[in-house]
């Protein structure tokens, strides 16, 4: 998948923000990988959880509906088209909002000032992934042996090492 910009740019107002939708992550030793990105875990200064921003209501749709109602007196076809465009856009906005209301971000803040935001659909699994990272940060000396796969799509954490055993035992 690819990087996506949300809300006309990015979440933090910085050009260094990247929003990622990916099926999974891999942690191998001191490296965090997904798609075509590799980051040294030691370069991550902070990891946080944030809410997915909801898209604002498209106000232009109200104007389209009002124009449609006005044109119904003069030209029924143009009036119906304007009503359908306005109503259809509201419907699509609502469907998008409902489908993403529970989405959360896992924000990775790097020492360089760059931010990566990974999208998660299930908050409980996101908390589990956050715990994996917390355990990795606590066991800095043991990171060489880590080989962890985080399957975001199927909400599973697999691999070797005591970090995965600890996380999976807690569920």
């Amino acid at each position: 998948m690819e990087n996506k910009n949300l809300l006309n740019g990015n979440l933090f107002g910085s050009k260094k923000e990247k929003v990622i939708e990916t099926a999974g992550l891999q942690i191998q030793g001191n490296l965090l990988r997904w798609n075509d990105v590799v980051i040294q875990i030691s370069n991550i200064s902070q990891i946080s959880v944030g809410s997915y921003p909801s898209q604002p209501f498209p106000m232009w749709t109200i104007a389209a509906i009002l124009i449609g109602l006005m044109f119904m007196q003069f030209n029924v076809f143009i009036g119906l088209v304007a009503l359908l465009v306005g109503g259809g856009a509201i419907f699509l906005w609502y469907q998008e909002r409902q489908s993403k209301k529970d989405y959360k971000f896992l924000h990775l803040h790097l020492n360089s000032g760059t931010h990566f935001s990974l999208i998660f659909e299930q908050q409980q699994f996101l908390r589990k992934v956050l715990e994996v990272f917390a355990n990795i940060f606590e066991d800095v000396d043991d990171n060489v042996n880590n080989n962890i796969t985080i399957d975001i799509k199927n909400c599973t954490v697999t691999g070797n090492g005591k970090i995965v055993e600890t996380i999976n035992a807690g569920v």
Side-chain angles (χ1 to χ4, degrees):
M1 303 231 170
E2 57 197 48
N3 297 350
K4 295 190 176 192
N5 290 326
L6 297 178
L7 301 177
N8 296 328
N10 54 58
L11 231 42
F12 298 106
S14 162
K15 295 291 183 194
K16 295 183 177 183
E17 169 74 15
K18 293 177 178 48
V19 176
I20 311 296
E21 281 187 299
T22 185
L25 308 169
Q26 287 189 318
I27 300 170
Q28 296 172 325
N30 191 35
L31 299 177
L32 172 62
R33 299 173 183 254
W34 70 85
N35 298 340
D36 295 332
V37 177
V38 178
I39 298 173
Q40 278 189 316
I41 291 177
S42 59
N43 285 335
I44 299 173
S45 59
Q46 179 184 8
I47 296 179
S48 61
V49 173
S51 295
Y52 191 89
S54 61
Q55 295 292 335
F57 181 79
M59 295 302 290
W60 65 268
T61 58
I62 301 297
I65 290 172
L66 291 175
I67 289 171
L69 290 173
M70 286 181 2
F71 268 91
M72 290 294 279
Q73 299 173 15
F74 307 109
N75 187 331
V76 175
F77 178 74
I78 292 175
L80 284 175
V81 168
L83 286 172
L84 287 173
V85 167
I90 290 172
F91 176 76
L92 292 174
W93 167 82
Y94 180 76
Q95 291 292 355
E96 178 80 8
R97 183 179 175 132
Q98 287 302 104
S99 72
K100 295 185 177 176
K101 70 180 180 181
D102 294 329
Y103 282 18
K104 295 288 184 185
F105 280 124
L106 178 71
H107 300 293
L108 304 174
H109 307 271
L110 304 184
N111 293 331
S112 66
T114 302
H115 305 280
F116 291 96
S117 296
L118 299 157
I119 298 173
F120 284 75
E121 293 181 29
Q122 294 185 10
Q123 186 171 352
Q124 183 179 6
F125 180 66
L126 173 58
R127 296 287 175 200
K128 187 175 181 179
V129 171
L130 189 61
E131 190 65 29
V132 167
F133 279 106
N135 289 338
I136 289 171
F137 292 156
E138 287 175 0
D139 297 332
V140 175
D141 296 333
D142 296 336
N143 282 345
V144 177
N145 298 324
N146 285 337
N147 191 7
I148 302 168
T149 300
I150 300 171
D151 184 349
I152 297 172
K153 184 177 179 182
N154 297 312
C155 297
T156 60
V157 177
T158 58
N160 64 358
K162 65 181 180 179
I163 291 174
V164 175
E165 292 170 9
T166 303
I167 293 300
N168 287 332
V171 175

